[in-house]
Amino acid sequence: MKRLIPILVTLIFIQTTVCAQKQIPVAPAGFDVSQTEIPHGKIDTIQYVSKTVGATRKATIYFPPGYLKTKKYPVLYLLHGIGGDEKEWLNGGKPQVIFDNLYALGKLEPMLVVMPNGRAMKDDRASGNVMAPEKVAAFANFENDLIKDLIPYVEQNYPVFKDRDHRAIAGLSMGGGQSLNFGLGNLDTFAWVGGFSSAPNTKKPEELLPDPARGKAMLKLLWISCGDQDRLLNFSQRTHDYLADKNLPHIYYLEPGVHDFKVWKNDLYLFSQLLFKPVDQASFLDYNP
Ligand code: FER
């Protein structure tokens, strides 16, 4: 028995360290449950003239609790999926609830969240066949609308910082592909980039980031996440493989789940807490032990 005790202690130690390494962060229960007794942010709809589309276009915006026009804020551009529009996140993901709760805990740097319509065409409704080639093409065309029309509008009309360090872009599925394509394709504009369950519109890694050294020098945070049961996982996987091969620091967060808002809400909860704060690259491994 006396000999057994040290062996048992060693075994328990090994088991707990192995298990501890496998734990990935996840949002705690209640993170997306609305609470009445805390301060709430405000939601509005904005309209901007798009020269790209030749139309007045809509976006929704979420202001943090205690928002003041006399302060200056960084901006997260948060993009929807193929069946969505400027209201998809608000309806399906409730970022307003997740953010109100995070602000109440002091876990979020105050920011504006702009949720555009990423289908840059005259009829930008998510009706009919959302997979129609001209509608899919409109998701690519949104790059021009975003850079030339929407961002300038936001920066002329709201009290926001106007430099790359204070702009983030993230999205789900088609919006994840857009975020990686537009974020990495416009490093002068964005320093914080996140793709959640990115769709087949995601450029091939060599096109996405042909100059990894520049990406390494300029990016504050590059986040790639996906549910492990998602049929689109290979688009995130191949991007991660390329970045790992090029030694570009990034978070690759593979979580239990499919292609749905359960995953994207968890992603937003974790990703948003990293934004516009000092970055600790050593912590990137916590997400992918
Ligand atoms: C596809 C499969 C999925 C595709 C797009 C999606 C354009 C997008 C899914 C989503 O946004 O949820 O083949 O091609």
Side-chain angles (χ1 to χ4, degrees), residues 80-83 131 136 172-175 199-201 232 259 264:
H80 62 80
I82 199 154
M131 291 279 193
V136 172
L172 70 91
S173 201
M174 280 299 270
N201 63 330
L232 301 181
H259 198 74
W264 304 323

